[in-house]
Amino acid sequence: MGKILLLNGPNLNRLGKREPDIYGHETVEDIVRMVEKTLSGNNYSLIAKQSNHEGQLIDWIHEADDVVDGIIFNPGAYTHTSIALRDAISSINVPVIEVHISNVHAREEFRHHSLLAPVCLGQIVGLGIHGYQLAANYFLEFIEAGREEVE
Ligand code: DQA
């Protein structure tokens, strides 16, 4: 049985209440339920965490190394500022998919650049909460394909 970590960064605990015109009406709990359903149907379990604190997110990334098969990560505004989170992702063997609910490229210029994307497996942007689901589906295929190669 595989394991995926879903990490949400700062202010994402406010989803549902926060700028619904940009981020929609769904909550973090709705996202967790949706991803959990996709994964459990494929014999994968989900660990879901949210923090507003950079150091906490770094600790969770370190702890996930060699424990989970993939990390789905919405780093919120730390995407654009955090060299420390980038180094944390670089320090582990587990692949990370960066997800943004909004289309950051259609917004303010400071959101156009991600410090984390170069050290992630890939990035999904602007597809609303479906981005989390797409990342989960990708991991299911990616991990299974990797296993087949190894066998
Ligand atoms: C976000 C985009 C970031 O620029 C912003 O700071 C967020 C949310 C998104 O999911 O669209 O907090 O990561």
Side-chain angles (χ1 to χ4, degrees):
M1 183 155 169
K3 215 181 265 177
I4 299 293
L5 173 63
L6 171 59
L7 266 190
N8 276 297
N11 299 305
L12 292 161
N13 56 317
R14 303 283 304 160
L15 282 179
K17 296 189 188 95
R18 173 193 187 196
E19 301 177 89
D21 45 320
I22 297 174
Y23 297 112
H25 293 278
E26 279 95 355
T27 64
V28 167
E29 291 74 30
D30 294 331
I31 293 167
V32 171
R33 261 195 299 275
M34 175 186 73
V35 175
E36 211 155 42
K37 207 170 154 192
T38 301
L39 292 176
S40 65
N42 288 279
N43 240 348
Y44 272 69
S45 65
L46 181 70
I47 305 165
K49 297 172 190 270
Q50 187 279 328
S51 177
N52 296 322
H53 304 277
E54 191 176 20
Q56 177 65 84
L57 293 164
I58 291 168
D59 286 345
W60 285 337
I61 289 169
H62 294 170
E63 285 163 19
D65 198 20
D66 299 324
V67 173
V68 302
D69 300 288
I71 302 176
I72 302 167
F73 188 21
N74 185 343
Y78 287 141
T79 307
H80 320 297
T81 63
S82 180
I83 297 169
L85 273 171
R86 176 185 172 131
D87 288 348
I89 294 169
S90 293
S91 83
I92 61 168
N93 296 313
V94 178
V96 177
I97 299 179
E98 181 182 324
V99 172
H100 298 287
I101 296 169
S102 66
N103 181 356
V104 284
H105 300 290
R107 300 180 63 194
E108 303 95 327
E109 195 152 350
F110 62 83
R111 295 185 204 277
H112 296 183
H113 187 242
S114 167
L115 288 172
L116 311 186
V119 295
C120 288
L121 180 64
Q123 194 191 36
I124 300 173
V125 165
L127 303 181
I129 68 164
H130 300 292
Y132 294 94
Q133 179 97 323
L134 292 167
N137 277 317
Y138 186 81
F139 269 137
L140 289 173
E141 282 187 37
F142 174 83
I143 293 162
E144 292 310 318
R147 283 199 183 140
E148 271 161 33
E149 262 170 43
V150 171
E151 276 162 13

